[in-house]
Structure formats: structure tokens, C-alpha cells
């Protein structure tokens, strides 16, 4: 085995030095966090974050994603939040960090507790890739769930803005109905991303049945949907089941492995903390070409 030790610890804080906590932002329809001692909801915090992914760039700064307000955070090497990037129309009165509403407006429709949970950086550090954990609540619930369209966003950290978006379609890409009807498993979650090479990523797709399936994502040929808008009363991108008819090519998906059989042994070995329910893999790293 390999021993690990903490070499540095930086509290996440705003530019004035006030620590950031995991409290909810106190806006929208999210379920409140409750004080265990009193049973009363915890007051909202405009700087509250539920961080889920992190990368460090060559300049020493970090980028993080979080799922409460589906935002990206630019953080100094010492842990100070320099900027928070949120969807268009999202306001942050009283926030410490500079707030930049530049993400697509539709991202504000994310499901409760299903914001960004994965983040990867391109080899040259010029692109960040992040994916929403689940399909957006942007359209009819039944259609959205059946389509299984999850948005993969490319972000330029130097310019501070998104530059591309592609559709990742949940489910088995070899199924004959994959591109035309959707074959999304129930309650799918994307929990981790890692960059393989430029144009190719590794992703873990988790299902509520306890499955954990890594796929290779290839971006070549995928439609850029960043500026795509619904036509009148037509379906939103998120509820479009027939991608073929809509002229949308999703990212390529190639099965790498099925980790599901390993999960019970990992649970018995002490991974995952809570012993109830299936183990969910929420982190991913590539150590070498194999």
C-alpha cells in the first residue's frame, strides 16, 4: 500500500478572509439544511458552496465546481475565492467574491442538489470540462428523464466564459433506440470526469440500481449546442429524445469497464462510509496510459 499525508491545508475563504461554509445559498426551491440541534433551517449564505470537483492549473490557482448553485469557482493558491461563475440571471446579493453570470441560463433549472459534480482540465490547461450531475429540469419531467441528455460544458479559464457545450446521452450507446428514443437508466448521475488526452475524457456514469460504468467520451464530431435555442414551442434540448431527427450528434461513448461487481467488496473493505445503500464512486484519476 501507499501512505498519504497532508502537506498543506488552505481554508476556503472569500477575498476579505471570511471562511466559506457548506450552507445553502438561501434562494430558489432547494430543500433547506437543518440544524441538527434545533431542527430549524440554517440561514442561507450567499457564499455557501458544496464543492465536488477540483483541478490545479500551471499558475498555481485552482478551479472548483459545486452543486448548490451550479457554479465554478476560481480560487487562489492560498484558498481565496477570486471569482464565482454562475448562470445568467442568477443574483448573489452580499457575496464576498466577484460573481460572473455567464453560464447558459438553462443551467439555473438544475434538479435539487444536482449541479456540477465533475471537473477536468485539458492537458494544456486552456479548457475546463464540467458536466451536470443529471439532466436539467428544463421541460416535461417524463421526457427529460427518458431522453437522458446531460450537458457537458467547455469553459475557457483565461477568458472566464463558456466556449462550447455538447450533449452526453446517458445509457447504452449500442442500444438501437439510443439516438432516437433515449435509453436512460432511472435516476442517472455523472459523478466524475478525467481528461485522457485532448478531445477525450473518462466519465463514471452511475445508476440508482448501484451500477458504476466508466465510459470514454470522444468529442470529435459532436454538435456544439452552446447557442442552440428551442424553436417556439418545440422541445428544449433537455427533453429532445430523437437527437437524430433534431440534427444533434452527442459525444461518442465507448464502454471501458463495468465496475459494478467490485462495489460490494469495496463496501466490505470500508469504502463509502455509510453502510446503507449502494456505493457511489465520486472521484476519478488517471495514473498512466493503461
Amino acid at each position: 500500500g501507499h501512505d498519504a499525508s497532508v502537506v498543506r491545508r488552505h481554508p476556503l475563504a472569500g477575498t476579505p478572509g471570511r471562511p466559506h461554509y457548506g450552507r445553502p445559498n438561501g434562494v430558489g426551491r432547494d430543500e433547506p439544511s437543518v440544524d441538527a440541534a434545533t431542527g430549524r433551517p440554517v440561514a442561507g449564505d450567499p457564499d455557501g458552496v458544496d464543492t465536488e470537483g477540483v483541478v490545479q492549473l500551471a499558475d498555481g490557482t485552482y478551479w472548483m465546481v459545486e452543486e448548490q448553485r451550479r457554479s465554478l469557482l476560481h480560487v487562489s493558491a492560498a484558498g481565496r475565492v477570486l471569482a464565482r461563475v454562475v448562470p445568467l440571471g442568477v443574483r448573489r446579493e452580499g457575496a464576498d467574491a466577484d460573481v460572473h453570470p455567464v453560464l447558459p441560463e438553462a443551467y439555473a433549472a438544475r434538479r435539487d442538489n444536482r449541479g456540477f459534480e465533475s471537473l477536468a482540465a485539458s492537458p494544456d490547461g486552456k479548457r475546463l470540462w464540467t458536466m451536470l450531475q443529471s439532466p436539467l429540469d428544463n421541460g416535461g419531467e417524463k421526457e427529460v428523464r427518458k431522453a437522458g441528455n446531460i450537458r457537458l460544458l467547455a469553459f475557457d479559464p483565461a477568458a472566464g466564459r463558456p466556449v462550447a457545450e455538447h450533449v452526453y446521452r446517458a445509457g447504452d450507446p449500442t442500444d438501437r433506440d439510443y439516438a432516437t428514443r433515449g435509453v436512460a437508466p432511472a435516476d442517472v448521475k455523472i459523478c466524475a470526469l478525467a481528461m485522457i488526452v485532448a478531445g477525450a475524457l473518462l466519465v463514471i456514469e452511475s445508476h440508482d440500481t448501484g451500477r458504476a460504468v466508466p465510459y470514454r467520451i470522444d468529442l470529435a464530431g459532436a454538435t456544439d449546442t452552446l447557442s442552440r435555442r428551442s424553436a417556439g414551442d418545440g422541445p428544449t434540448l433537455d427533453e429532445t429524445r430523437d437527437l437524430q431527427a433534431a440534427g444533434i450528434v452527442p459525444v461518442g461513448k465507448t464502454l471501458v469497464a463495468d465496475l459494478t461487481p467490485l462495489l460490494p467488496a469495496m463496501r466490505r473493505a470500508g469504502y463509502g462510509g455509510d453502510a446503507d445503500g449502494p456505493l457511489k464512486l465520486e472521484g476519478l484519476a488517471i495514473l498512466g496510459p493503461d
Side-chain angles (χ1 to χ4, degrees), residues 2-147:
H2 298 279
D3 292 329
S5 59
V6 176
V7 293
R8 279 184 304 278
R9 179 178 292 143
H10 298 300
L12 196 63
T15 45
R18 188 176 71 88
H20 283 194
Y21 300 101
R23 291 195 296 265
N25 296 147
V27 294
R29 56 180 174 76
D30 285 355
E31 295 178 2
S33 294
V34 176
D35 187 321
T38 65
R40 289 192 288 270
V42 174
D45 180 353
D47 291 306
V49 290
D50 185 358
T51 50
E52 296 286 351
V54 58
V55 295
Q56 188 177 29
L57 299 187
D59 64 3
T61 66
Y62 298 92
W63 281 88
M64 301 178 183
V65 291
E66 62 92 27
E67 62 183 15
Q68 284 187 5
R69 292 292 99 195
R70 59 284 179 231
S71 65
L72 290 85
L73 298 103
H74 189 202
V75 180
S76 76
R80 296 292 178 89
V81 178
L82 306 173
R84 191 169 182 179
V85 182
V86 300
L88 290 163
V90 173
R91 302 175 66 185
R92 279 280 188 328
E93 289 84 357
D96 284 345
D98 289 336
V99 177
H100 303 281
V102 298
L103 301 181
E105 189 173 6
Y107 284 50
R110 73 99 167 89
R111 289 173 59 189
D112 187 14
N113 202 37
R114 299 290 178 89
F116 294 122
E117 189 155 295
S118 53
L119 181 66
S122 63
D124 61 9
K126 293 182 178 180
R127 290 289 181 271
L128 301 177
W129 294 93
T130 183
M131 203 180 324
L132 290 156
Q133 189 178 7
S134 296
L136 290 169
D137 277 347
N138 187 31
E141 181 178 347
K142 179 181 177 182
E143 295 302 306
V144 164
R145 303 293 168 89
K146 285 189 174 182

Side-chain angles (χ1 to χ4, degrees), residues 101-253:
V102 298
L103 301 181
E105 189 173 6
Y107 284 50
R110 73 99 167 89
R111 289 173 59 189
D112 187 14
N113 202 37
R114 299 290 178 89
F116 294 122
E117 189 155 295
S118 53
L119 181 66
S122 63
D124 61 9
K126 293 182 178 180
R127 290 289 181 271
L128 301 177
W129 294 93
T130 183
M131 203 180 324
L132 290 156
Q133 189 178 7
S134 296
L136 290 169
D137 277 347
N138 187 31
E141 181 178 347
K142 179 181 177 182
E143 295 302 306
V144 164
R145 303 293 168 89
K146 285 189 174 182
N149 297 335
I150 302 175
R151 299 183 187 227
L152 172 66
L153 188 73
F155 187 84
D156 182 337
R161 60 182 178 85
V163 291
E165 179 192 75
H166 305 295
V167 172
Y168 173 96
R169 171 153 277 196
D172 181 359
T174 65
D175 192 295
R176 67 177 187 176
D177 293 328
Y178 174 77
T180 55
R181 295 175 57 83
V183 291
D187 202 16
V188 66
K189 303 179 185 75
I190 300 300
C191 300
L193 273 178
M195 202 85 201
I196 303 172
V197 294
L201 296 132
L202 191 62
V203 62
I204 295 182
E205 182 177 308
S206 297
H207 308 158
D208 70 344
T209 57
R211 292 195 70 202
V213 189
Y215 285 101
R216 176 188 168 113
I217 299 175
D218 285 289
L219 307 175
T223 303
D224 186 351
T225 56
L226 186 61
S227 59
R228 192 180 183 98
R229 295 289 179 268
S230 302
D233 295 328
T236 66
L237 174 64
D238 311 281
E239 60 184 348
T240 299
R241 293 178 62 186
D242 195 339
L243 293 178
Q244 209 168 73
I248 298 173
V249 179
V251 296
K253 283 178 67 177

